[in-house]
Amino acid sequence: MNDSPGWASPGSPSPSDDQGAGAPRPSGEQGGPAPQWSENQPPPGQWSPPAAQPGGPVPPAPGWGGGGPYGGWAQPPAPKPGVIPLRPLGVGEILDGAVSTLRAHWRTVLGITLTVSVVVQLVQILLQRYVLPQAPAFDPNASPSEVLEQAGESLRVSMISAAPSMLLGLTATFVTTALLTFVVSRSVLGRPVTFGDVWRDARPRLVPLLGLTLLLPLIVLGVTAVGVLPGLLIGSVAGAVLVFLGGLAALLVVIWLTVRFSLSYSVVMLEGQGVRASLRRSAKLVRGSWWRIFGILLLTALLTALIAMIVAIPFTMLALAADGEAMDSVFSGGASQYSWTFLIVSGIGAVITSAIMYPISAGVTVLLYVDQRIRREALDLELARAAGVPGYGSASPGDTTPRS
């Protein structure tokens, strides 16, 4: 009996045994052993490897791949019903799986990401044009005190302008994570993906995901405040040094927490956990693999940043060239008053960038979650069963996503 697909255990029937009891045997073999075989044959399934001769090579033990193609069984390739093989993944396989999901289900993926990106950019353009304050002009002939005043005003305007951008970014992350998580999970199983299926799976988990999406930035702000606030209260040079050291310590803690909780989004969506339970679950899955996950997330961030530069820089240059006043203000240090032409052209570049970055980031995060569960909990067996791979049993009705 073949317990694992792709290889047979010792003593299992060979293909020639299909003749069975009812099949006629060749002439000369009726009622006796095969020609030129000894009549003292071991019973089926109870053989042992030959003993080693003194001074001779040690025969290989039976097993996967032992002794080459004639000394054992070669380990079969892992089943691959979807975009990844169902086994522990390497870095390249995780990145390739994210890109393969984008290629295989590009209509659904781009439909989601383009819609979210266009809405976000439209709101951002309207805010920049009518609501947010413009960057103040810089006077190169100003006195040192005036330079400090201009720098403070510029910082204030930048912080005010960054708040809506951060809120819009959180909104885009919330929507794309909710929907793309199920796109990736279905692509792992090789299942067809439609927006209706994705929305039906994601809708019951939107409230916990929203809570998690709001909680994680609050944790980051709290850690940053604890690190920086004492130095700000002290003031003077000593306070500035304390702000620097506290900010550096807060940055390290934020990085550590970001990696520790990086799988919580997938836990919320795919396991149906609550906010606090998802954080604990993510920490458990990451434990012992922090540096590996950190390296993969850092590599993904660098690749997406490179893609963003490649796409966004040409559109920004084109927008500056189309808007002569904006180009003049950049080189003269004047107040930045961008026209509709500049905002629209640069917004198109931002939409294209986001439509590429969101699927890759979401895909890597979900596949990291799947990989950690394969390594720790043998999730590959459940996924193979859910995908209907022969030899792994049958999936339960309605099982379309990996769940604990």
Side-chain angles (χ1 to χ4, degrees):
M1 177 179 180
N2 294 352
D3 296 326
S4 299
W7 65 282
S9 57
S12 299
S14 65
S16 61
D17 293 333
D18 292 339
Q19 295 173 359
R25 302 184 62 183
S27 176
E29 296 187 34
Q30 301 292 337
Q36 301 180 356
W37 282 24
S38 172
E39 295 187 3
N40 298 323
Q41 295 295 321
Q46 299 181 8
W47 61 274
S48 59
Q53 300 295 328
V58 178
W64 284 4
Y70 300 103
W73 302 280
Q75 183 174 1
K80 188 179 179 181
V83 295
I84 59 169
L86 300 183
R87 56 169 171 74
L89 304 174
V91 179
E93 291 171 325
I94 291 176
L95 294 173
D96 179 70
V99 176
S100 297
T101 301
L102 175 60
R103 291 201 307 263
H105 309 291
W106 62 271
R107 291 184 179 88
T108 303
V109 172
L110 291 183
I112 294 170
T113 55
L114 283 176
T115 301
V116 174
S117 301
V118 168
V119 172
V120 167
Q121 287 303 316
L122 284 176
V123 175
Q124 182 72 24
I125 289 173
L126 294 175
L127 289 176
Q128 287 181 344
R129 183 66 180 177
Y130 294 114
V131 179
L132 297 178
Q134 302 296 326
F138 177 75
D139 185 6
N141 300 319
S143 62
S145 59
E146 292 175 340
V147 170
L148 291 177
E149 183 179 351
Q150 292 175 2
E153 179 65 17
S154 178
L155 179 61
R156 184 187 68 84
V157 171
S158 298
M159 293 180 64
I160 294 175
S161 301
S165 298
M166 291 179 59
L167 182 60
L168 290 172
L170 287 176
T171 303
T173 300
F174 166 72
V175 176
T176 55
T177 299
L179 301 179
L180 293 179
T181 296
F182 287 100
V183 174
V184 179
S185 66
R186 284 175 172 266
S187 65
V188 168
L189 300 177
R191 301 287 177 84
V193 179
T194 64
F195 180 80
D197 297 333
V198 170
W199 175 247
R200 184 180 62 250
D201 292 337
R203 185 172 53 188
R205 308 303 307 156
L206 292 181
V207 174
L209 180 63
L210 179 61
L212 182 64
T213 305
L214 296 177
L215 177 61
L216 291 179
L218 290 178
I219 294 176
V220 172
L221 290 177
V223 171
T224 304
V226 170
V228 175
L229 191 59
L232 294 177
L233 295 177
I234 293 175
S236 71
V237 178
V241 174
L242 189 58
V243 166
F244 173 76
L245 296 178
L248 181 60
L251 176 62
L252 296 178
V253 173
V254 166
I255 294 175
W256 179 72
L257 290 176
T258 300
V259 176
R260 183 178 175 86
F261 298 145
S262 60
L263 307 183
S264 56
Y265 290 102
S266 299
V267 173
V268 164
M269 301 305 294
L270 298 178
E271 296 187 19
Q273 301 276 7
V275 175
R276 295 178 59 185
S278 68
L279 295 177
R280 291 194 298 266
R281 173 76 165 145
S282 176
K284 180 181 178 181
L285 290 173
V286 171
R287 188 179 301 123
S289 303
W290 190 95
W291 284 106
R292 177 176 177 271
I293 295 176
F294 168 74
I296 294 175
L297 293 177
L298 179 61
L299 177 61
T300 304
L302 293 176
L303 289 177
T304 53
L306 179 61
I307 294 173
M309 291 177 58
I310 293 175
V311 176
I313 289 179
F315 277 93
T316 302
M317 299 302 296
L318 181 61
L320 289 173
D323 186 1
E325 295 182 0
M327 180 74 76
D328 294 339
S329 64
V330 169
F331 290 104
S332 64
S336 300
Q337 181 66 38
Y338 298 124
S339 66
W340 282 110
T341 303
F342 177 87
L343 294 175
I344 292 174
V345 173
S346 59
I348 292 174
V351 167
I352 297 175
T353 302
S354 301
I356 299 174
M357 291 174 57
Y358 287 147
I360 295 177
S361 299
V364 168
T365 302
V366 176
L367 293 179
L368 270 175
Y369 162 81
V370 173
D371 177 58
Q372 287 300 110
R373 288 199 60 187
I374 287 176
R375 294 171 182 270
R376 295 177 179 269
E377 303 170 357
L379 182 66
D380 51 329
L381 302 180
E382 296 183 22
L383 293 175
R385 189 177 304 115
V389 177
Y392 287 86
S394 59
S396 58
D399 186 7
T400 59
T401 56
R403 298 181 184 272
S404 60

